[in-house]
Amino acid sequence: MKVSELKLENYRNLKNNSFLPCDGVNVIYGNNAQGKTNLLEAIWLFTGGKSFRGTRDLDLITFKEKKSNLFMKLFSENRNQTLKITLEGKSRLVSVNDVAKKQASELIGNFCAVAFSPIHLALIKDGPAARRKFLDTAICQIQPLCAKTIFKYIHTLNQRNHLLKEIKNKKNLYDTLEIWDEKLATFAADLVSKRIKYVELMKELSKESYENISGKNEVLDIKYETNCYIKSKSEPIDLISQIKEKLRKAHKEDIAIGFTTIGPHRDDLNILIDGKSAKMFSSQGQQRSAVLAMKLSEATILNKICKKNPVILLDDVMSEIDSYRQDYVLNSFSNEQIFITCCEPTTLKKLKNGALFTIENGTIN
């Protein structure tokens, strides 16, 4: 998968740009606040996901402009393809090969990328929601239909939570709770099963990458923790039964507090270095290496399962690792197209099959 052209109109401070990257390593350098991260963010949007910085679509449009247009040409699945995104107000309109899609989520699966930015340190530093989002985003790139499962789960969860609040005043509604337990357990089992399988793949790949990136004799381990108490080898039908039973046992507590206490919306990833919590006991450098290792394993999984080489987006990743580690990060993905941002490109001049671009005041050269 290769991006051959990117056109941006009224996107953040990148008002009007046409960008023709090479197939190998693309280094975009310039001072801070010139638009380097904005460029990687724009490329990421073509995965169908939200901004990896958590920004609302409305705020991605250049100040005082009404809409933004993003256009990408790429080579994927042995043919040239085109993708387009229009951001207007709170709406996101997309098209694939000039065919308009009904929903923006239909972009998922057409373009695959893995992004690493300093903001992704939230995977370790922030709460469980950041880690669940990482997992679900990675899985959806491999299995686009999982996005529908997540939507149905959240919708059903909201309906059940609404019912829990209503039961306090309308006791006769209690008998309907079992119906929502059944629906919620079905979608929950599907999602939990996918997460468990993904983590099993990711933990071994991340362990190897971490050793190479950190250069230290430390062990990275990743565990999926669920409040459903489900074994990783359980079949989906067993998951449904176990989750239903957990939901049933939690009826009294759920009604008392007015929301659902059991399910994948409360699960977490436990990230460990040498058996200790990376969040509690690891240094900034160790956390950075762990997150980067997880991101690189995400790219490897995409390649292995989907037979696609995802585009790698690395935002300000080279400044804190030495030359040897830089070589590992770049050379371990020799077949992928890579976009790297940095303030000073001198450490990357030795790269082969690459191109250097400058960016100043939102203009790419």
Side-chain angles (χ1 to χ4, degrees):
M1 184 169 290
K2 310 286 184 182
V3 177
S4 56
E5 183 178 3
L6 182 71
K7 290 183 180 179
L8 304 174
E9 178 184 329
N10 297 332
Y11 185 83
R12 289 195 182 262
N13 74 326
L14 306 172
K15 292 205 65 175
N16 291 286
N17 278 280
S18 182
F19 180 41
L20 301 173
C22 74
D23 288 347
V25 180
N26 296 273
V27 180
I28 302 100
Y29 68 96
N31 293 326
N32 291 328
Q34 302 304 303
K36 300 188 299 293
T37 304
N38 293 344
L39 178 61
L40 298 195
E41 178 187 50
I43 296 174
W44 169 259
L45 290 187
F46 286 96
T47 65
K50 298 290 185 179
S51 162
F52 57 67
R53 296 146 105 179
T55 308
R56 300 180 306 167
D57 281 2
L58 179 64
D59 296 327
L60 300 176
I61 303 170
T62 301
F63 185 60
K64 292 185 178 181
E65 297 292 343
K66 294 183 178 180
K67 67 178 181 179
S68 174
N69 291 310
L70 298 84
F71 174 83
M72 177 186 284
K73 284 185 180 179
L74 71 153
F75 185 79
S76 177
E77 298 179 347
N78 297 316
R79 63 192 179 104
N80 293 310
Q81 302 194 50
T82 60
L83 306 176
K84 184 178 180 181
I85 300 173
T86 297
L87 305 174
E88 188 169 6
K90 296 181 180 180
S91 300
R92 185 190 294 203
L93 306 175
V94 305
S95 65
V96 178
N97 298 324
D98 298 321
V99 177
K101 299 298 181 180
K102 293 181 180 179
Q103 296 179 326
S105 60
E106 293 184 61
L107 207 57
I108 297 174
N110 290 280
F111 173 69
C112 297
V114 172
F116 174 85
S117 171
I119 199 169
H120 287 115
L121 290 177
L123 276 176
I124 291 178
K125 294 184 175 183
D126 286 3
R131 292 179 284 278
R132 290 193 297 266
K133 182 180 178 181
F134 160 72
L135 261 185
D136 293 342
T137 300
I139 293 169
C140 283
Q141 289 207 81
I142 297 171
Q143 304 177 59
L145 291 178
C146 185
K148 292 185 177 180
T149 299
I150 295 170
F151 174 82
K152 290 177 180 177
Y153 177 78
I154 294 174
H155 176 74
T156 305
L157 177 66
N158 290 336
Q159 293 293 320
R160 187 179 189 272
N161 286 343
H162 178 73
L163 176 62
L164 291 170
K165 293 179 176 68
E166 290 290 309
I167 289 176
K168 286 185 177 181
N169 300 318
K170 300 177 182 179
K171 304 297 183 183
N172 61 310
L173 293 176
Y174 182 82
D175 291 340
T176 64
L177 190 55
E178 187 176 342
I179 298 173
W180 291 103
D181 288 353
E182 178 78 34
K183 292 183 66 175
L184 192 67
T186 300
F187 298 130
D190 189 14
L191 181 56
V192 170
S193 177
K194 286 180 170 62
R195 285 180 178 176
I196 289 172
K197 290 177 182 177
Y198 189 88
V199 172
E200 288 299 313
L201 284 172
M202 181 179 64
K203 65 185 299 182
E204 292 303 320
L205 294 169
S206 297
K207 178 181 177 182
E208 180 181 351
S209 292
Y210 181 82
E211 290 175 356
N212 287 305
I213 294 168
S214 68
K216 298 178 181 179
N217 188 25
E218 298 172 339
V219 178
L220 173 66
D221 191 19
I222 302 170
K223 297 179 180 180
Y224 183 69
E225 297 185 340
T226 174
N227 63 10
C228 300
Y229 302 102
I230 298 165
K231 296 180 180 179
S232 61
K233 294 183 180 180
S234 297
E235 295 297 327
I237 189 64
D238 294 326
L239 299 187
I240 294 174
S241 299
Q242 292 180 59
I243 294 173
K244 278 175 60 180
E245 180 63 15
K246 281 288 176 181
L247 288 169
R248 186 188 65 78
K249 290 182 177 180
H251 278 182
K252 186 176 181 179
E253 180 183 358
D254 288 358
I255 292 171
I257 61 179
F259 62 85
T260 304
T261 57
I262 299 297
H265 63 288
R266 295 175 67 85
D267 291 350
D268 197 3
L269 278 181
N270 191 6
I271 303 170
L272 308 166
I273 296 177
D274 279 350
K276 297 179 180 179
S277 168
K279 180 177 182 177
M280 299 297 296
F281 300 104
S282 296
S283 67
Q284 174 92 358
Q286 288 173 312
Q287 293 178 350
R288 188 182 183 91
S289 294
V291 174
L292 182 55
M294 292 168 66
K295 286 291 183 176
L296 295 182
S297 71
E298 181 185 349
T300 301
I301 292 170
L302 265 167
N303 194 338
K304 286 186 175 182
I305 294 180
C306 299
K307 307 303 179 185
K308 294 179 180 178
N309 293 326
V311 171
I312 311 292
L313 309 173
L314 302 176
D315 184 28
D316 192 29
V317 70
M318 296 299 173
S319 60
E320 295 187 23
I321 56 177
D322 61 29
S323 179
Y324 176 80
R325 311 302 167 202
Q326 290 175 8
D327 284 344
Y328 168 75
V329 171
L330 298 175
N331 295 331
S332 60
F333 292 95
S334 57
N335 294 322
E336 279 77 6
Q337 186 181 39
I338 302 176
F339 294 83
I340 303 172
T341 67
C342 61
C343 292
E344 177 52 60
T346 54
T347 57
L348 302 172
K349 285 184 177 179
K350 61 184 177 181
L351 295 175
K352 298 179 180 179
N353 190 28
L356 293 176
F357 298 87
T358 62
I359 188 165
E360 185 175 1
N361 294 323
T363 300
I364 305 165
N365 296 295

